[in-house]
Amino acid sequence: EQAKMRTNGDGFGIGWYGEGAEPGVYREVMPAWSDENLMSLARTLKSHLFFAHVRAATGTPIARQNCHPFRHGKWLFMHNGQIGGYAQVRRALEARLPDALYLARKGATDSELLFLLALARIEQDGVNVHKAMRATLDDSMALMRSQGIAEPLRFSAALTDGRRLHIFRFASDDAPPTLYVKQGERGTIVASEPLAGGDDGWRALGNGEMLTLTLASAVAHSA
């Protein structure tokens, strides 16, 4: 039977928190199912919080530095979606990064750029995470409009400092990438699609919804 969507094979990555404050990251450009090192890590790593991402490139090169999750200090970030007309606004958006975060940028993706732009607001301005992310998206869309870009901005993402997990689902055209949450006895799973084994307990986030998960609770916010 033919698959309804192509398999994401443009690299992958995992991130996790161990004993230190900063997370570990393992990223590669080969398909996840071909990496023996990933299989070994999956059998031995233990953490209270894991990130896992398989990439489908949207116009930027297939390279390790473009694979998710992205790390900066204590933060991890991963994203599905795109900035419409990214090539037209990339230079202007990068110019808005503080010097330290501009120098921290390793890849070429719009995902990493949105991550660092949001961190600039969170860490330097002391802004609430949800307000920082929404302001980052609003600024990006304003720049897109100024350049006459009709393509949408689509954003389904997860951001964490190891203590709180913030998830976001948004699109300027009311067609955001999917995002689901399932809370169970052994923990909480956030995924772009419900995992195999039944749909029971999965909840789809709405467009514009932001959710914060901690060790003990979940708090929802609307954009």
Side-chain angles (χ1 to χ4, degrees):
E1 183 178 350
Q2 186 175 5
K4 295 180 180 179
M5 297 182 67
R6 75 182 185 92
T7 302
N8 293 7
D10 298 331
F12 71 91
I14 60 171
W16 68 94
Y17 288 83
E19 295 181 357
E22 295 189 4
V25 170
Y26 178 71
R27 303 183 294 179
E28 261 300 345
V29 296
M30 67 177 65
W33 57 85
S34 300
D35 192 313
E36 293 182 357
N37 292 322
L38 175 63
M39 297 178 189
S40 177
L41 286 170
R43 286 193 294 265
T44 58
L45 280 177
K46 293 183 179 181
S47 176
H48 68 282
L49 195 157
F50 279 101
F51 270 24
H53 189 277
V54 288
R55 184 173 184 240
T58 55
T60 50
I62 299 173
R64 185 179 291 111
Q65 63 267 27
N66 288 336
C67 293
H68 307 224
F70 300 101
R71 173 181 59 186
H72 184 74
K74 65 182 179 180
W75 297 93
L76 279 178
F77 175 81
M78 58 186 179
H79 165 238
N80 288 333
Q82 68 280 324
I83 295 175
Y86 174 54
Q88 294 175 243
V89 298
R90 174 180 169 181
R91 183 174 179 180
L93 286 173
E94 287 180 335
R96 298 179 182 183
L97 286 173
D99 288 345
L101 290 176
Y102 181 84
L103 293 173
R105 180 157 157 78
K106 305 299 183 185
T109 65
D110 51 353
S111 301
E112 184 189 26
L113 182 51
L114 288 170
F115 169 44
L116 295 175
L117 287 167
L119 281 192
R121 293 178 178 272
I122 295 167
E123 295 190 334
Q124 297 187 15
D125 301 335
V127 176
N128 171 278
V129 169
H130 291 170
K131 290 182 179 179
M133 191 61 74
R134 186 58 206 239
T136 298
L137 298 177
D138 286 343
D139 285 352
S140 300
M141 288 187 294
L143 182 59
M144 291 164 62
R145 288 192 296 269
S146 74
Q147 297 297 314
I149 296 170
E151 299 171 59
L153 186 152
R154 291 174 175 160
F155 187 80
S156 178
L159 173 69
T160 185
D161 60 0
R163 297 181 299 111
R164 294 181 179 86
L165 173 63
H166 309 278
I167 56 176
F168 315 87
R169 185 176 183 230
F170 172 82
S172 60
D173 66 347
D174 295 324
T178 54
L179 193 63
Y180 293 83
V181 179
K182 181 176 182 178
Q183 294 178 284
E185 294 181 358
R186 299 183 61 185
T188 301
I189 303 172
V190 179
S192 57
E193 297 290 344
L195 302 183
D199 294 336
D200 293 345
W202 290 97
R203 182 178 77 83
L205 268 69
N207 189 10
E209 187 174 356
M210 302 179 182
L211 187 70
T212 295
L213 302 169
T214 65
L215 294 178
S217 63
V219 181
H221 298 263
S222 296

